[in-house]
Amino acid sequence: MQYQFQFNSVLAESGFIMQGILLTIYLSIGSIILGSIIAILFSALRANGPRWVGGLVDVYVELLRNTPFLVQLFIIFFGLPSIGIRLTADQAALLAMTLNLAAYSTEIIRAGVDSIHRSQIEAGLSLAMTKRQIFQHVIIVPAIAKVWPALSSQFVLMLLASSICSFISVQELSGVTAIIEQRTFRSFESYIVATLLYLVLALTLKVGLLGLGRLIFPRVSGLSRVQVKGEAA
Amino acid sequence: MSAVHIENVHKSFGKLEVLKGVSLTVEAGQVVAIIGRSGSGKSTLLRCINGLETIQSGRIEVVGHTVTYTDEKLRALRKDVGIVFQSYNLFPHLTVGQNIMLAPRITKGVPKEEARAQAEKVLAQVGLSEKFDVYPDNLSGGQQQRVAIARSLAMQPKVMLFDEVTSALDPELTGEVLLVMEELARGGMTMLLVTHEMNFARSVADFTVFMHQGKVWEMGPSEELFSHPKTPELAAFVKSTLK
């Protein structure tokens, strides 16, 4: 084995790589924000909406969670134009990632909602709150706090899965890496650089989400303790 | 008009009938203790009064509301009837102050300043003024229960229900909660309390109701009921709790 690593030609494309990184960040943060909003709405519908609406949410969640992300992406980018919906590659990527993440997040948040003790709901009812108010003020925050670690790792998985969007020519980090590889013929070097950058992105997101969790849910550790006490009583 | 009027109430969980024709009337300003063994239906009866449990037959009237199971009617009823639970049920993600202000603000539309002033008032009433910005899990059980009482009081209820509120507390903490309740009773609040604190029932409650096998087995002025039980069941129960 006498391979000579030569990173120079790859690193000469750093401006292009940076564009790819920015697009990866944009797609990830965008889908996390939009996907979370949808997931919270879906969770609310499943908890309080009419039964058939809850059923539709279930169908959506299972449909998206049991088909490959690549196929979902292709349907949106190559399929939708047939019915007149034309999206740019970047738009299709953001939409596919948002819908996919919404499905997984809905399922994770459902676990959190289910974990809220019945007595919390009774407390809300006894204070004359409506079911919607109970969901909004009593249930959802502790529910998300409880599943925040699971939710965070799902967000990181989505960041990594964004690389699949290069299949429809989206120039995010994997997309630009493929182009650089073709320009420089330095496959190993190109993907080593991409690997390290993904690692940095994923770890940064992970740490960021941990910090965000501490900020939004200062009582996360306290929640579990109260729960144990309540159940012992 | 009486504050709480319960008429021939039947309640079953599946095939198990827990209330077998219960009737009870409580006048405004009275304090009524409900005692009895586990499974006698006393907690269920209390929970029927604010509609947390549905009854199969009979009638319950509370301060002008007939207990009816539509969301709107139940909410109107619950604005006038506070309940405090054995397990406190404070909202863990909210501070003490937020716990107290939440319901008045969102269910009655009380403005923020007013809700805050009201919260400070009821918190002072339970002796926890300094805990306004503290989270529930930093409080002792007794303090949490006092906050739960304050949270109910902030809704300015006409009737307060207490469901074994000291059962999860050790004796030392039980005392501080009972003191708050005694204070409330003295202030003229109409109160129904399910309790295992016989001394408290005897000394604070105007009337005591002994429930047995899903029925009001015996009731009367507390002092008399405890010192001269008429039925052998109550006599046995009183004797067993004195040990």
Side-chain angles (χ1 to χ4, degrees), chain B residues 173-212:
Chain B
L173 300 178
T174 296
E176 65 183 49
V177 173
L178 293 182
L179 214 62
V180 167
M181 290 167 65
E182 204 177 327
E183 201 63 36
L184 261 183
R186 215 173 293 146
M189 177 65 78
T190 308
M191 293 164 57
L192 272 86
L193 43 113
V194 167
T195 185
H196 291 296
E197 298 293 330
M198 297 306 149
N199 288 329
F200 184 77
R202 190 169 183 160
S203 61
V204 177
D206 302 307
F207 289 90
T208 294
V209 175
F210 172 61
M211 287 196 65
H212 187 63

Side-chain angles (χ1 to χ4, degrees), chain A residues 103-135:
Chain A
Y104 279 94
S105 303
T106 303
E107 190 63 15
I108 294 170
I109 292 173
R110 186 245 285 262
V113 170
D114 287 350
S115 77
I116 300 302
H117 204 269
R118 168 90 201 142
S119 59
Q120 288 282 303
I121 298 167
E122 283 186 353
L125 287 173
S126 301
L127 290 165
M129 293 184 203
T130 63
K131 283 178 183 150
R132 200 180 129 184
Q133 288 171 332
I134 291 172
F135 187 86

Side-chain angles (χ1 to χ4, degrees), chain B:
Chain B
M1 194 184 59
S2 43
V4 179
H5 185 70
I6 300 170
E7 210 177 290
N8 198 23
V9 161
H10 289 259
K11 159 80 189 167
S12 305
F13 291 110
K15 280 185 182 159
L16 181 73
E17 192 174 27
V18 270
L19 299 178
K20 302 169 183 169
V22 172
S23 298
L24 178 65
T25 300
V26 179
E27 301 299 332
Q30 279 183 345
V31 177
V32 173
I34 305 173
I35 60 170
R37 293 201 165 76
S38 307
S40 58
K42 52 196 194 308
S43 276
T44 305
L45 178 65
L46 204 69
R47 291 163 56 87
C48 286
I49 296 174
N50 81 339
L52 278 179
E53 304 288 353
T54 54
I55 59 173
Q56 271 81 45
S57 69
R59 234 170 95 80
I60 301 179
E61 260 184 64
V62 194
V63 288
H65 306 274
T66 302
V67 177
T68 314
Y69 304 104
T70 65
D71 289 350
E72 213 163 308
K73 289 266 171 71
L74 284 174
R75 279 202 302 279
L77 163 78
R78 288 164 181 163
K79 280 178 188 168
D80 286 336
V81 183
I83 185 167
V84 183
F85 302 95
Q86 180 182 347
S87 53
Y88 338 130
N89 302 353
L90 295 178
F91 306 131
H93 60 299
L94 302 179
T95 62
V96 165
Q98 290 166 337
N99 259 281
I100 298 173
M101 293 187 290
L102 177 63
R105 291 201 60 198
I106 66 175
T107 68
K108 291 180 157 180
V110 175
K112 195 169 183 179
E113 310 306 316
E114 202 182 321
R116 195 186 167 90
Q118 174 72 10
E120 281 166 355
K121 195 183 126 200
V122 290
L123 208 50
Q125 214 174 329
V126 299
L128 289 172
S129 289
E130 76 284 5
K131 302 290 186 189
F132 196 90
D133 292 315
V134 173
Y135 283 93
D137 65 324
N138 292 329
L139 299 176
S140 72
Q143 290 172 331
Q144 289 193 49
Q145 195 58 295
R146 282 148 69 195
V147 172
I149 294 173
R151 183 173 69 174
S152 271
L153 288 177
M155 291 289 281
Q156 301 178 311
K158 294 175 181 146
V159 176
M160 284 282 282
L161 310 173
F162 296 86
D163 189 6
E164 297 191 30
V165 294
T166 58
S167 299
L169 301 172
D170 58 45
E172 204 178 332
L173 300 178
T174 296
E176 65 183 49
V177 173
L178 293 182
L179 214 62
V180 167
M181 290 167 65
E182 204 177 327
E183 201 63 36
L184 261 183
R186 215 173 293 146
M189 177 65 78
T190 308
M191 293 164 57
L192 272 86
L193 43 113
V194 167
T195 185
H196 291 296
E197 298 293 330
M198 297 306 149
N199 288 329
F200 184 77
R202 190 169 183 160
S203 61
V204 177
D206 302 307
F207 289 90
T208 294
V209 175
F210 172 61
M211 287 196 65
H212 187 63
Q213 295 180 353
K215 288 178 182 157
V216 172
W217 206 258
E218 192 173 336
M219 64 178 291
S222 302
E223 185 53 45
E224 201 180 308
L225 187 106
F226 279 103
S227 46
H228 305 292
K230 292 189 186 74
T231 58
E233 288 81 6
L234 176 58
F237 179 73
V238 169
K239 206 174 155 201
S240 72
T241 56
L242 288 179
K243 273 179 207 162

